[in-house]
Amino acid sequence: MKKILAISILLFIGLTVLAGYLFPQELSPILSLIIDWGILLIGTAVLIGIGYLIKRHISLISQREKQNFLSIILLLAFISTIILGLIFSFNHPVFTDLMINVQYPVETSLLAILAVVLLTASFRLISTRGWTPMSIAFLCSAVITLGLDAGSIYLGSGGAGDVILNFLRRLPLVGARGILLGMGLGGLIVGLRVLLTIEKPYGE
Amino acid sequence: MNWSILGWGMISVAIILLVVFTFRFKNGKSYKVRKNTQMEGLNKSRIAKIEGGLHRTIVLGHQLSSSAYPGLGLNSLAIVPGILDPETLADGKLNISTSQGSLMVFVRQIVENSYQNGFSKALTQRGVNTVLPGPTVYSNIAGLVCELGVHPQHGLILAGNFGPEVSLLSEVCVSKNGDVFAAAGTITSQAALFPQVENLVMGENNFMLPGLLTPSPGRDAGWLTEDILRILLIFMIIAAAILKMVGVL
């Protein structure tokens, strides 16, 4: 009975949203209501997720695991952010300063590490994958794109040189479009499988 | 004919094909899918990790749904039941993590259902941990990097909607002698993971994974429909290019 109810709700909501693309004027009030409910549910899910996060770190502290110290820092930061968020609003200068001076630098430092990691991984490409057509194509395209973006590749203005450069510049876009078309088709089929209840990712 | 009608035409064809093939495959017929070497790598790694009593982590990406990549989040959820075999549910070494609350709630439900299918409805499983290391992309990565660093020889599965930052996870895992399997659907994550990860599933092959892990008539029908639509799309692109060349379009 529980499963039938879930499937019925899924079918009703899914088909209504789909029909909303065909009849946007007629279904706009019900669509906005469904979207509002969706946003509310997603917000609640975030709270549940944060609850799991806190529970996990409390259990790590109680079990005296190796990352005990980091869990204590996380919990302290979490509690202080909540208190500050309750005292000041999200747009308050104190809160904004905290975001700019703490969170953004931390995220930027991760990005800096990422740049180094990607560079070293590219150097190790051949040892990881060997001399395969894919790895050679990847290396060549990386080198050519770097050269093009840095302005190091110059084949003369006008004539065949321009045509070749334009072709090289458009080549990554063509590849990306190919992958996106495939992903779009895959996404369409997954969505339809869920809508037709052939697939039930919310619980088999 | 405009783009909207063309889109609806594709959706209608897909629905009809899906329904027809699902009924056809339910009557004993099946669709032979292409060989996937990355899947073989994943199976070997999973067996080795379970037998060795080592930690495994599945990371389900940062988004359930996005306008650029719709369906990736749902697809990552569809992979989970295939990985939750009885050994996994019992040994307590599997973590499933994500940075989005809604994905987290769905995963929890899948885990509970899988457990109750095999055992009793009165029991709550404790073998699989569903964790949210951080509610944002970077806090999630930072939390996971810490987790992967503590448990060496990790088995890491990356499935879903990621950005290039996912390569930090694979780097830490590989540096600690772990195995990485990636079905990260976005172009940026695929490009970032390509130099690091041997078992990397690319493009639309991401959507084949749930069926490869747990085959079913509906998933077989999905593959065949996708293949037919792909061929149809290729012919449409070629026809449009020819028509444009001769000046009709």
Side-chain angles (χ1 to χ4, degrees):
Chain A
M1 183 62 200
K2 213 166 75 178
K3 278 188 179 173
I4 293 169
L5 186 69
I7 289 168
S8 312
I9 294 170
L10 169 89
L11 268 176
F12 172 71
I13 303 275
L15 291 174
T16 311
V17 172
L18 201 60
Y21 287 102
L22 269 181
F23 311 105
Q25 299 285 324
E26 292 82 353
L27 290 171
S28 69
I30 201 166
L31 276 182
S32 58
L33 184 73
I34 288 173
I35 290 166
D36 283 349
W37 284 355
I39 292 167
L40 197 69
L41 282 175
I42 287 173
T44 315
V46 172
L47 285 179
I48 295 171
I50 290 171
Y52 269 111
L53 175 70
I54 299 307
K55 188 183 149 198
R56 166 113 178 125
H57 284 280
I58 290 173
S59 75
L60 282 176
I61 292 168
S62 61
Q63 286 165 13
R64 301 185 180 209
E65 293 259 344
K66 281 181 190 171
Q67 54 289 53
N68 203 329
F69 177 64
L70 296 173
S71 297
I72 293 169
I73 293 177
L74 184 133
L75 284 179
L76 286 176
F78 176 77
I79 293 164
S80 54
T81 311
I82 279 195
I83 292 168
L84 283 171
L86 288 173
I87 296 169
F88 308 106
S89 74
F90 189 72
N91 295 322
H92 195 278
V94 175
F95 206 82
T96 322
D97 277 354
L98 260 178
M99 292 292 283
I100 292 169
N101 295 316
V102 179
Q103 191 174 345
Y104 295 160
V106 171
E107 291 188 351
T108 314
S109 61
L110 266 176
L111 272 178
I113 296 169
L114 176 65
V116 177
V117 164
L118 286 177
L119 189 70
T120 53
S122 304
F123 287 137
R124 291 200 314 262
L125 172 68
I126 297 302
S127 67
T128 313
R129 291 192 162 263
W131 290 101
T132 62
M134 276 285 275
S135 58
I136 294 166
F138 187 88
L139 266 183
C140 291
S141 65
V143 170
I144 290 170
T145 311
L146 261 177
L148 283 173
D149 283 351
S152 316
I153 298 176
Y154 181 70
L155 300 172
S157 59
D162 262 356
V163 175
I164 294 169
L165 274 183
N166 273 334
F167 173 76
L168 289 175
R169 280 203 182 98
R170 290 177 71 169
L171 210 53
L173 288 178
V174 176
R177 270 184 203 169
I179 291 178
L180 282 176
L181 276 174
M183 296 300 292
L185 268 184
L188 171 73
I189 301 297
V190 169
L192 288 177
R193 280 203 325 240
V194 173
L195 199 60
L196 299 171
T197 64
I198 295 168
E199 185 88 52
K200 301 182 194 81
Y202 44 87
E204 293 290 323
Chain B
M1 188 193 278
N2 59 27
W3 291 112
S4 174
I5 295 172
L6 195 67
W8 278 108
M10 287 291 274
I11 291 172
S12 309
V13 171
I15 290 173
I16 294 165
L17 289 176
L18 259 178
V19 173
V20 169
F21 289 134
T22 304
F23 279 113
R24 197 175 151 82
F25 293 147
K26 270 186 180 166
N27 296 329
K29 299 231 183 318
S30 67
Y31 180 59
K32 284 234 177 226
V33 74
R34 296 170 289 282
K35 200 180 164 196
N36 193 311
T37 50
Q38 289 87 10
M39 241 353 255
E40 288 167 10
L42 170 67
N43 286 334
K44 272 185 200 164
S45 159
R46 279 183 61 213
I47 292 166
K49 299 297 167 194
I50 290 172
E51 286 183 352
L54 298 165
H55 279 82
R56 285 101 59 205
T57 296
I58 307 173
V59 189
L60 295 179
H62 307 312
Q63 276 178 307
L64 176 62
S65 176
S66 70
S67 54
Y69 298 97
L72 259 186
L74 280 175
N75 190 58
S76 68
L77 286 173
I79 292 168
V80 176
I83 292 166
L84 297 176
D85 42 43
E87 292 86 0
T88 302
L89 285 163
D91 78 350
K93 297 284 172 71
L94 179 72
N95 283 341
I96 305 179
S97 76
T98 167
S99 66
Q100 205 185 37
S102 48
L103 271 170
M104 172 96 193
V105 172
F106 281 128
V107 161
R108 192 71 227 161
Q109 194 181 351
I110 291 170
V111 172
E112 289 294 339
N113 281 351
S114 297
Y115 186 75
Q116 285 169 355
N117 284 342
F119 298 92
S120 161
K121 284 190 189 306
L123 296 171
T124 298
Q125 71 83 31
R126 303 254 179 245
V128 178
N129 298 310
T130 43
V131 282
L132 188 131
T136 61
V137 172
Y138 285 100
S139 60
N140 182 50
I141 294 286
L144 276 169
V145 163
C146 181
E147 191 90 10
L148 292 172
V150 172
H151 304 292
Q153 298 180 51
H154 223 95
L156 180 66
I157 298 175
L158 305 163
N161 197 331
F162 293 98
E165 71 287 336
V166 70
S167 62
L168 285 172
L169 297 180
S170 64
E171 179 69 20
V172 173
C173 187
V174 170
S175 69
K176 298 268 178 183
N177 298 320
D179 294 331
V180 185
F181 171 86
T186 63
I187 292 178
T188 46
S189 61
Q190 284 173 15
L193 287 169
F194 183 79
Q196 293 172 319
V197 180
E198 209 180 328
N199 293 321
L200 172 68
V201 180
M202 295 182 87
E204 68 272 18
N205 284 348
N206 279 296
F207 295 99
M208 283 169 55
L209 284 181
L212 287 171
L213 286 162
T214 34
S216 72
R219 285 165 179 169
D220 281 4
W223 290 336
L224 187 52
T225 307
E226 203 179 318
D227 283 350
I228 290 171
L229 286 181
R230 189 180 301 128
I231 292 165
L232 198 69
L233 203 65
I234 290 168
F235 278 119
M236 280 163 68
I237 290 169
I238 292 170
I242 292 169
L243 288 174
K244 189 146 188 165
M245 269 168 63
V246 297
V248 176
L249 278 179

